[in-house]
């Protein structure tokens, strides 16, 4: 069963604009991670935010986490055509195997 | 280079055949995973292994089998019992908890039933 649900499912923006993707989850977590997937490729880890953190930055990426609302957002600033990909949030609950549970993803298209 | 290697990239299976997807990692990670991804969908966990000679079923293990005889290798067999095997298969391995349990993925294998 999916723990995280991304919103929107698809997003189309112009180059230079900011892109915001949201993730909601259901149970308590140890950390939340964002991954990127180019079409037909494996997933690449972008950023991890721990449950005791509220905001984290990495280059043009900004991730927030609100554990009271069980939600996270990924902001990509000054988007580029090369940012076109699917973005997934994944939650780690610390249970058996410390498995990550992935959401359905947001498909981002950045038009040049 | 360090990483996870999946092979083959593309595989065609006839009805009733078993096929095996290879996954090798040289990252010295203990834990390894197999996920299935259907077009436009998220990832679903098939099997995972936390240590050599041990593995556990994930959410959609029916019709699949795995082995973990070596730390570096975690092959997945798609058996004839899997009725709808056409999908993109992703193998992954995990850093330890001191690194936040980040998962690293291979490039995936496309399986098509013909």
């Amino acid at each position: 069963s999916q723990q995280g649900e991304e919103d929107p499912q698809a997003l189309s923006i112009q180059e230079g604009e900011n892109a915001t993707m949201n993730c909601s989850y259901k149970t308590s977590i140890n950390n939340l991670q964002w991954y990127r997937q180019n079409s037909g490729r494996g997933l690449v880890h972008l950023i991890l935010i721990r449950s005791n953190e509220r905001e984290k930055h990495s280059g043009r990426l900004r991730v927030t986490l609100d554990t009271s609302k069980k939600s996270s957002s990924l902001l990509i600033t000054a988007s580029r055509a090369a940012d076109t990909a699917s973005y997934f949030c994944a939650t780690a609950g610390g249970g058996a195997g410390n498995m990550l549970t992935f959401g359905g993803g947001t498909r981002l298209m950045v038009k040049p | 280079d360090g990483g996870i290697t999946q092979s083959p990239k593309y595989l065609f299976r006839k009805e009733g055949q078993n096929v095996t997807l290879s996954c090798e990692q040289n990252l010295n990670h203990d834990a390894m995973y197999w996920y299935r991804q259907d077009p436009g969908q998220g990832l679903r966990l098939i099997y995972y292994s936390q240590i050599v000679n041990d593995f556990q079923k994930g959410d959609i293990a029916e019709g699949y089998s795995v082995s973990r005889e070596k730390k570096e290798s975690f092959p997945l067999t798609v058996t004839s019992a899997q009725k709808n095997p056409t999908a993109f298969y992703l193998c992954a391995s995990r850093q330890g908890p001191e690194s936040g349990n980040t998962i690293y993925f291979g490039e995936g294998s496309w399986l098509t039933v013909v």
Side-chain angles (χ1 to χ4, degrees):
Chain A
S1 58
Q2 286 185 177
Q3 157 82 308
E5 294 291 340
E6 284 91 341
D7 171 59
Q9 291 186 338
L11 180 60
S12 180
I13 59 174
Q14 293 294 136
E15 207 166 25
E17 294 179 339
N18 294 342
T20 299
M21 289 158 269
N22 302 297
C23 171
S24 60
Y25 57 92
K26 298 174 183 175
T27 61
S28 62
I29 60 171
N30 288 342
N31 64 67
L32 185 145
Q33 304 180 34
W34 285 90
Y35 287 79
R36 166 194 168 125
Q37 183 183 34
N38 286 3
S39 182
R41 306 292 296 276
L43 277 71
V44 175
H45 181 257
L46 294 176
I47 196 166
L48 179 151
I49 185 165
R50 301 184 193 278
S51 59
N52 61 354
E53 297 175 312
R54 292 297 168 257
E55 187 170 314
K56 205 161 184 179
H57 297 255
S58 177
R60 293 184 296 113
L61 306 181
R62 172 177 169 255
V63 169
T64 62
L65 179 64
D66 187 336
T67 53
S68 66
K69 295 181 179 178
K70 291 187 169 57
S71 67
S72 174
S73 67
L74 170 67
L75 169 67
I76 304 174
T77 60
S79 63
R80 306 166 182 167
D83 294 328
T84 295
S86 291
Y87 293 83
F88 294 88
C89 69
T91 53
N98 278 310
M99 289 176 291
L100 288 182
T101 304
F102 288 83
T106 292
R107 289 176 289 286
L108 173 66
M109 175 174 288
V110 181
K111 300 176 183 177
Chain B
D1 289 346
I4 301 172
T5 302
Q6 290 187 237
S7 63
K9 179 68 177 180
Y10 300 96
L11 186 60
F12 297 90
R13 190 194 92 169
K14 294 182 180 179
E15 295 280 354
Q17 273 187 339
N18 292 353
V19 292
T20 298
L21 307 180
S22 169
C23 179
E24 303 280 331
Q25 55 101 358
N26 59 5
L27 300 170
N28 200 34
H29 291 169
D30 286 316
M32 296 186 74
Y33 305 83
W34 274 105
Y35 289 92
R36 170 181 170 141
Q37 186 179 33
D38 292 287
Q41 303 295 313
L43 279 66
R44 293 185 289 169
L45 182 66
I46 305 173
Y47 267 99
Y48 66 99
S49 169
Q50 297 186 74
I51 199 167
V52 174
N53 292 323
D54 182 63
F55 48 83
Q56 305 295 329
K57 293 181 179 180
D59 296 325
I60 56 165
E62 184 174 353
Y64 300 98
S65 66
V66 294
S67 62
R68 188 82 187 278
E69 297 177 1
K70 299 186 300 181
K71 186 175 187 178
E72 302 80 14
S73 179
F74 191 40
L76 173 74
T77 296
V78 184
T79 75
S80 56
Q82 170 51 239
K83 297 307 178 187
N84 184 24
T86 296
F88 189 50
Y89 291 87
L90 286 158
C91 178
S93 67
R94 176 172 56 85
Q95 287 182 317
E98 67 281 359
S99 301
N101 293 313
T102 300
I103 284 186
Y104 293 85
F105 285 85
E107 284 297 294
S109 293
W110 290 94
L111 174 62
T112 303
V113 173
V114 296

